[in-house]
Amino acid sequence: MSFKTRPVWFIPVVAISLALLAAAVMVGAALLRGPAPVDPNAPPAPAPVRSSGEAQVGGPFTLVNHRGETVTDADFAGRPMLIYFGFTYCPDVCPASLQVMAAALDQLTPETRAQFQPILITVDPERDTPELLAQYVTAPAFPENLTGLTGTLDQVRNAARAYRVFFARVDDDGLSSDYTVDHSSIIYLMDREGRFVEIFPHGSAPSVIAARLQAFLETSPA
Ligand code: NI
């Protein structure tokens, strides 16, 4: 048809039709493409909120010290604790770790050192009686004033669970007197209220531990 014969509504209707067609094509193309690809340069989505973990390590315990007295975590309140889980029959890892703890404490001044309470909690309460622990904790290579803690198997299990410590008795030959105990080898620093501060994994250098203990006391004076 000629220009002259077009009705007045022709141009708006054509324009609206073209606009609708364009929109339909765009929607269709988007559907065919599927979800938008992930942009590798986009900032990461915010991580889900997680607790700091501070409340998840440590907690109340009831054990028996190397003098045969029942003690709880409350008995150590006011002093930061250095806690190691191990056992006296351990041939190498435990003695080495306790010597590292001693070497770290030895790098502090006597006044600073005295603020910390070093603790060995046995993972072998069947053999580690208070009497045996009493001999063990006074070894000259171990920390001064090292306290040994034992108890019933349930008491020890509860303490280990609170500290997320793994341990498992391994019977070599089925004889009850000859077995070892696999266990995690970690030194825990707990603050004056018994709350988790940090761990020193196996292999930590005494100088690194000493520096961290010094830094801790500066933020948490007596
Ligand atoms: Ni050990």
Side-chain angles (χ1 to χ4, degrees):
M1 66 192 155
S2 75
F3 184 75
K4 281 186 179 170
T5 59
R6 275 182 200 153
V8 291
W9 46 261
F10 179 83
I11 290 185
V13 164
V14 167
I16 290 166
S17 299
L18 286 173
L20 288 174
L21 181 65
V25 166
M26 286 164 66
V27 167
L31 288 174
L32 285 174
R33 266 203 313 272
V38 175
D39 178 359
N41 297 317
V49 174
R50 296 183 63 183
S51 66
S52 66
E54 290 185 13
Q56 296 170 12
V57 174
F61 58 75
T62 300
L63 293 162
V64 177
N65 70 16
H66 65 260
R67 295 180 199 89
E69 304 157 341
T70 295
V71 295
T72 73
D73 52 296
D75 290 300
F76 300 97
R79 301 186 68 194
M81 297 181 286
L82 282 170
I83 300 182
Y84 185 81
F85 285 79
F87 66 114
T88 68
Y89 282 78
C90 181
D92 40 32
V93 173
C94 291
S97 297
L98 290 170
Q99 287 176 53
V100 165
M101 195 195 280
L105 288 165
D106 282 348
Q107 293 185 19
L108 305 174
T109 65
E111 297 74 31
T112 303
R113 175 161 65 243
Q115 295 198 41
F116 292 96
Q117 174 61 64
I119 294 174
L120 166 67
I121 300 180
T122 184
V123 292
D124 185 17
E126 291 162 86
R127 288 183 299 193
D128 282 342
T129 60
E131 296 74 25
L132 189 52
L133 280 175
Q135 294 173 30
Y136 190 75
V137 296
T138 52
F142 292 167
E144 275 174 61
N145 192 33
L146 177 64
T147 288
L149 298 180
T150 183
T152 66
L153 192 52
D154 273 349
Q155 287 174 327
V156 166
R157 278 191 182 133
N158 287 338
R161 194 176 298 125
Y163 281 81
R164 302 291 185 263
V165 163
F166 156 85
F167 73 97
R169 175 173 158 166
V170 181
D171 285 277
D172 289 337
D173 56 9
L175 296 175
S176 63
S177 61
D178 186 13
Y179 61 89
T180 187
V181 184
D182 286 346
H183 64 97
S184 37
S185 181
I186 295 168
I187 296 170
Y188 295 83
L189 172 60
M190 312 299 288
D191 74 9
R192 298 178 197 281
E193 284 76 47
R195 294 172 304 205
F196 175 76
V197 178
E198 66 179 310
I199 60 167
F200 304 110
H202 189 74
S204 296
S207 59
V208 171
I209 298 174
R212 297 299 305 154
L213 297 182
Q214 188 73 48
F216 165 75
L217 281 191
E218 281 158 21
T219 60
S220 175

